[in-house]
Amino acid sequence: MSPGERIRALRENKNVSQKELSRQLGYKTYTTVSKWESGASLPPGKELRNLATYFEVSTDYILGLNNYLNHTNPDYFSGTITLDLFEAILPGTLQRVPNKGQIEVPQYILEEEPENYFVVNIKTDSMNRMIPSGNNIVILDFLKTKNHVINTGDILIVKIDGEYKLEHLRKTDSKIYLEPYSYLDGFNVLEFDLKEFEALEIIGKVIYTFRIF
């Protein structure tokens, strides 16, 4: 499910209207919530946290980065899995971290075998409204899995012209858009028709993000 679909499902499960949810978040009309649910826009950081608090779920769940609904469960962080760790040492590159080639992640986030995932410590601000530079992202490796489902709202690592890019996906009936979601200027929206997009090398999809201090 995309972030918009999850927001809609959470709202309907709580039996509130778009208008009532908007009022709870401090908006005068339901337009903003409607745009989130349709996938036309994503809630920025503050609103994302407010949504997570209101629905009593994690922000990662709303973003579709994990499928764990209730983050208050005492077993939320029990059990870990060790995955390969890579670092984007320069914009557009992936490289295994020297002397630090693995990292532990919560076991519950994985829906497939551990070998189908890896972790990247990102060094880009292209998605910093959702995933700040310096965060770790857990990637479902599309090069090791089949029958991938990609929806609006997914965050992908895509290889384009020899560079690895972290982008937000938006789909229409005839076009695919790979979009930055950054507070900074200088990141461009990439537009593809369906055949052009199918020819791209999609490395994988972000399912979880975390930071180690």
Side-chain angles (χ1 to χ4, degrees):
M1 296 174 69
S2 69
E5 290 171 332
R6 293 199 173 200
I7 293 170
R8 180 185 297 112
L10 288 166
R11 176 180 60 78
E12 291 176 348
N13 186 60
K14 202 174 179 70
N15 197 29
V16 297
S17 65
Q18 288 184 340
K19 183 176 181 180
E20 173 60 19
L21 177 57
S22 300
R23 189 186 69 80
Q24 293 288 338
L25 297 174
Y27 293 102
K28 293 182 178 179
T29 70
Y30 65 87
T31 303
T32 298
V33 170
S34 178
K35 287 182 178 179
W36 294 342
E37 292 188 1
S38 69
S41 66
L42 289 168
K46 181 179 179 180
E47 281 78 3
L48 184 62
R49 290 191 295 272
N50 289 339
L51 284 167
T53 299
Y54 181 73
F55 289 123
E56 298 182 328
V57 298
S58 67
T59 54
D60 281 351
Y61 178 82
I62 293 176
L63 293 174
L65 300 179
N66 71 51
N67 293 316
Y68 196 84
L69 184 61
N70 186 352
H71 71 296
T72 62
N73 190 304
D75 295 327
Y76 183 68
F77 288 113
S78 65
T80 60
I81 291 290
T82 301
L83 300 180
D84 288 334
L85 174 65
F86 291 76
E87 182 176 18
I89 58 173
L90 293 171
T93 65
L94 285 175
Q95 181 169 316
R96 189 181 298 274
V97 179
N99 302 319
K100 191 183 176 184
Q102 294 187 317
I103 192 169
E104 290 188 351
V105 302
Q107 183 174 352
Y108 70 82
I109 68 173
L110 307 184
E111 296 185 343
E112 300 187 18
E113 295 300 316
E115 57 265 26
N116 293 337
Y117 299 87
F118 64 94
V119 180
V120 179
N121 180 249
I122 62 170
K123 303 293 184 184
T124 177
D125 286 309
S126 64
M127 292 293 297
N128 67 12
R129 294 181 68 180
M130 295 172 63
I131 308 176
S133 179
N135 269 31
N136 298 299
I137 52 176
V138 180
I139 304 296
L140 175 61
D141 191 343
F142 281 12
L143 303 181
K144 295 183 178 179
T145 57
K146 298 180 180 179
N147 302 319
H148 315 125
V149 177
I150 301 176
N151 295 308
T152 290
D154 286 342
I155 302 171
L156 306 175
I157 292 182
V158 183
K159 190 175 183 181
I160 302 175
D161 296 330
E163 290 192 347
Y164 296 89
K165 298 179 180 292
L166 183 68
E167 305 283 352
H168 169 264
L169 177 79
R170 179 166 60 89
K171 298 170 63 174
T172 68
D173 290 339
S174 60
K175 295 286 185 180
I176 302 289
Y177 299 91
L178 296 178
E179 304 173 321
Y181 201 63
S182 177
Y183 291 110
L184 304 177
D185 296 328
F187 298 99
N188 299 318
V189 175
L190 305 176
E191 178 182 331
F192 304 90
D193 63 33
L194 299 181
K195 288 186 177 180
E196 289 174 331
F197 183 75
E198 289 175 358
L200 294 181
E201 184 178 355
I202 303 175
I203 305 303
K205 178 170 68 173
V206 178
I207 66 155
Y208 185 75
T209 179
F210 64 101
R211 193 179 189 101
I212 297 177
F213 295 95

